Amino acid sequence: MLYDYDPVFLERFRSLETKVAALFQTSNDIVLMQGEAVLGLEAAARAVTRPGITAINCVSGVYGKWFGLWLAEYGAHVIEVEVPYDAQVEPEMVERAFAAHPETELLAVVHSETPSGTMNPVSEIGPIAKRNGALVIADVVSSLGCDALRPDDWGLDICVAGPQKCLAGPPGMSLVSVSDEAWTRIRANPAAPRGSFLSLLDWKDTWIDGGRTSFPYTPSVADVNGVSAACDEALEMGIDGFVALHTAAGRACRAGVHAMGLELWARSEEICTNCVTAVRTPDGVDTLALLAHVRERYGVMLSPGYGEIKQKLVRLGHMGPAARSLNPVVALAAFGRGLADLGARVDIGAGVDAALEVLSQAKAPV
């Protein structure tokens, strides 16, 4: 284990910032916070929120809802643009919210709602917020690597990603991009944490502006090494190729679900994320019993929903290694066989064939 001020480690840390910026495709500052992505999200919320500020919070799932609770706790007047957890926030809804609340200074949105397998059109929502003079915080925890992400082009001032999702790295870091405008707003906010593990400013002042030779808090050497290795794998493939891999996996799983006679959780395939496929649990099937059976009998780990939708759906993950080769088909086949074992009517063969057909037509090798 290298000492964190060893010149070799300092260079590794600087190199990781460069790699993360390449994956984000951004020229903004990168902050590598030493804690799971929820730390980065809470740090972002606290950094830009002051008592009395008006904030629009886009809610299409449990993580969007949680972010609004943080904003309210820190004193913001929160305007929620909320849709059912099987839908997406439409740009027109955001336009109307700004028209009704022109004093809005902040917009928060989740790109990929992992618990429900849905996406929000951040590429359209971000520019709306910028035209209205609002700062934008985007939760891209699970979308980095599975879908197109252009923070600079879309006006995303703070983005927070997690290395444990599509990058398949260790879960102990928050990968944060911060725009110049965001830094200006944070510095002007007397409520922004300072001298705190949740402080983005501490990283800016001590590390970024301090010549990248001194950390505000001791980083995890092991996590930095692990995340760096994960980034290397993605960058070796190229970010476009990495996204294409996850896109093919998502399309294959969705095609298989339809062919088996099952129903996606999302209202339309167009709003599905590429990192996970969420499927409505058929009537008469206990979700948790199904998942336990599939894991014990076939050695495949699938997931339920989260919060209020926990037992209403099953999630087939295809992130990182799970998106490669025929792994999406393995998950699909185990899911179908588990349903059949519990008495549900499914066409497993048709599902597998449909998934294989999609993968065989993928533009790049899977």
Side-chain angles (χ1 to χ4, degrees), residues 119-199:
M119 296 280 289
N120 281 313
V122 174
S123 63
E124 299 174 69
I125 292 173
I128 293 171
K130 300 313 293 181
R131 288 197 298 270
N132 285 275
L135 205 71
V136 180
I137 296 179
D139 174 340
V140 299
V141 171
S142 65
S143 63
L144 178 64
C146 86
D147 213 293
L149 179 63
R150 301 284 193 279
D152 299 7
D153 296 339
W154 301 348
L156 311 181
D157 294 290
I158 302 178
C159 292
V160 182
Q164 75 275 21
K165 299 296 184 180
C166 293
L167 295 180
M173 293 183 70
S174 294
L175 315 179
V176 188
S177 69
V178 186
S179 72
D180 290 341
E181 182 180 351
W183 285 128
T184 299
R185 298 275 192 103
I186 295 169
R187 287 197 184 282
N189 179 16
R194 293 161 170 85
S196 164
F197 201 64
L198 281 170
S199 176

Side-chain angles (χ1 to χ4, degrees), residues 40-168:
L41 290 169
E42 186 173 355
R46 289 195 61 182
V48 300
T49 307
R50 68 178 191 278
I53 190 177
T54 298
I56 291 174
N57 185 44
C58 300
V59 180
S60 59
V62 295
Y63 286 114
K65 196 70 173 179
W66 282 1
F67 206 86
L69 297 177
W70 276 332
L71 295 176
E73 181 181 349
Y74 306 147
H77 173 51
V78 181
I79 308 300
E80 291 207 326
V81 179
E82 186 167 7
V83 296
Y85 290 2
D86 58 355
Q88 71 171 9
V89 174
E90 300 293 345
E92 296 78 12
M93 300 175 181
V94 177
E95 292 272 21
R96 290 195 295 270
F98 273 107
H101 301 277
E103 76 283 6
T104 299
E105 297 180 47
L106 174 67
L107 177 135
V109 61
V110 176
H111 195 191
S112 170
E113 271 284 0
T114 327
S116 46
T118 57
M119 296 280 289
N120 281 313
V122 174
S123 63
E124 299 174 69
I125 292 173
I128 293 171
K130 300 313 293 181
R131 288 197 298 270
N132 285 275
L135 205 71
V136 180
I137 296 179
D139 174 340
V140 299
V141 171
S142 65
S143 63
L144 178 64
C146 86
D147 213 293
L149 179 63
R150 301 284 193 279
D152 299 7
D153 296 339
W154 301 348
L156 311 181
D157 294 290
I158 302 178
C159 292
V160 182
Q164 75 275 21
K165 299 296 184 180
C166 293
L167 295 180

Side-chain angles (χ1 to χ4, degrees), residues 63 111-119 142-143 145-147 165-166 245-254 257 264-266 268-269 271-279 301-306 309 313-320 322-323 328 331:
Y63 286 114
H111 195 191
S112 170
E113 271 284 0
T114 327
S116 46
T118 57
M119 296 280 289
S142 65
S143 63
C146 86
D147 213 293
K165 299 296 184 180
C166 293
L245 173 71
H246 287 85
T247 300
R251 289 182 57 238
C253 272
R254 295 192 294 271
V257 167
L264 294 171
W265 172 258
S268 70
E269 186 164 346
I271 69 170
C272 289
T273 180
N274 288 321
C275 65
V276 63
T277 296
V279 187
M301 181 74 182
L302 307 176
S303 300
Y306 199 79
I309 60 173
L313 58 89
V314 172
R315 292 183 294 158
L316 285 67
H318 27 84
M319 305 181 193

Side-chain angles (χ1 to χ4, degrees), residues 218-271:
T218 304
S220 168
V221 174
D223 282 335
V224 168
N225 290 340
V227 174
S228 183
C231 288
D232 286 342
E233 289 200 15
L235 290 170
E236 183 178 354
M237 187 177 295
I239 186 59
D240 291 340
F242 199 65
V243 169
L245 173 71
H246 287 85
T247 300
R251 289 182 57 238
C253 272
R254 295 192 294 271
V257 167
H258 285 307
M260 282 199 289
L262 300 171
E263 185 180 358
L264 294 171
W265 172 258
R267 294 185 179 184
S268 70
E269 186 164 346
E270 289 70 29
I271 69 170

